[in-house]
Amino acid sequence: RERTMAALTTATEDDGDPSLETARRDLQAAMATRDALEAEASAITSELESPGPSGGPAMGVKTPLVDSEGFPRADVDVHRARHLRHRLACIQTDHKAAMKTIERLLPVVLAPRDDQESHQAPGRIFARITQVRAGSPASRAGLRVDDAVVAFGDAVDLADLKAWTVSHVNVEFPVVVDRGGHRVNLRVMPQAWAGEGLLGCVFVPAT
């Protein structure tokens, strides 16, 4: 837990208005922390809810660990169960802290700014798609591998792209890609699906 919270220190210790670059860096750190915590929580929950050795009962997330007479159960690993449950509780606390940091920094990163043109000229390619998973929101929207991103909502670079996606879950917005020299207009809606992420595709910086 100490390593997890260390990743949030910079993003939470200053309640003032951070600079844009600092906000972007701290937002990315908070998002990475959130993703790692969610992955760990999923693995712990899976272990707790899976049958024990030789098909024994699952330890469970909230199942009592003592029998009807108040003694530790003999059919589950009580020590292991307590350890996992404690870790899960710590993860939930850390996850709330990460989400508060994300909620605080998103408006800073996505706020309109006068120097926006200096980051990217209108119509300039700033990212490329290297992978699109079948059945993903990106696939359903019509995004393809090798598409070059020209416009992605109000995002102006790759750092803004992820922040924009997280702040527009279940909200459709316009995306323009360059596909073989032709501009293609699409509508994308980030949302939870069976796979990882909110879009199910991989972006890399334009070269």
Side-chain angles (χ1 to χ4, degrees), residues 8-16 26 101 104:
L8 292 176
T9 300
T10 302
T12 58
E13 64 185 4
D14 185 3
D15 291 331
D26 292 348
T101 299
R104 177 171 62 83

Side-chain angles (χ1 to χ4, degrees), residues 64 173 185 198:
F173 56 84
N185 296 292
L198 296 171

Side-chain angles (χ1 to χ4, degrees), residues 39-175:
E40 185 180 359
S42 177
I44 290 175
T45 301
S46 177
E47 181 176 349
L48 286 171
E49 294 182 344
S50 297
S54 303
M59 292 178 282
V61 175
K62 295 184 178 180
T63 306
L65 297 178
V66 296
D67 58 25
S68 59
E69 297 181 353
F71 292 100
R73 290 172 54 187
D75 57 347
V76 297
D77 186 339
V78 173
H79 177 75
R80 178 65 175 167
R82 287 175 175 166
H83 170 74
L84 291 175
R85 291 181 184 186
H86 174 73
R87 177 58 190 150
L88 191 59
C90 291
I91 289 174
Q92 292 169 347
T93 298
D94 292 351
H95 188 270
K96 289 180 181 179
M99 292 307 298
K100 286 182 179 179
T101 299
I102 292 171
E103 291 169 4
R104 177 171 62 83
L105 293 175
L106 272 175
V108 177
V109 172
L110 297 178
R113 48 195 181 274
D114 295 336
D115 65 339
Q116 194 171 71
E117 288 76 12
S118 67
H119 291 277
Q120 175 197 345
R124 177 184 171 189
I125 294 171
F126 66 90
R128 292 185 182 277
I129 298 176
T130 59
Q131 182 178 4
V132 178
R133 298 179 179 87
S136 66
S139 177
R140 294 195 297 269
L143 291 172
R144 301 179 185 176
V145 172
D146 293 330
D147 278 350
V149 180
V150 177
F152 193 90
D154 286 346
V156 297
D157 56 28
L158 197 58
D160 284 351
L161 188 151
K162 185 171 183 179
W164 177 269
T165 299
V166 172
S167 66
H168 288 75
V169 176
N170 296 323
V171 177
E172 190 177 69
F173 56 84
V175 171

Side-chain angles (χ1 to χ4, degrees), residues 15-52:
D15 291 331
D17 293 330
S19 68
L20 180 58
E21 291 305 317
T22 299
R24 282 178 175 170
R25 183 180 65 250
D26 292 348
L27 179 60
Q28 290 175 335
M31 287 178 170
T33 297
R34 176 205 58 191
D35 294 346
L37 290 170
E38 290 177 353
E40 185 180 359
S42 177
I44 290 175
T45 301
S46 177
E47 181 176 349
L48 286 171
E49 294 182 344
S50 297

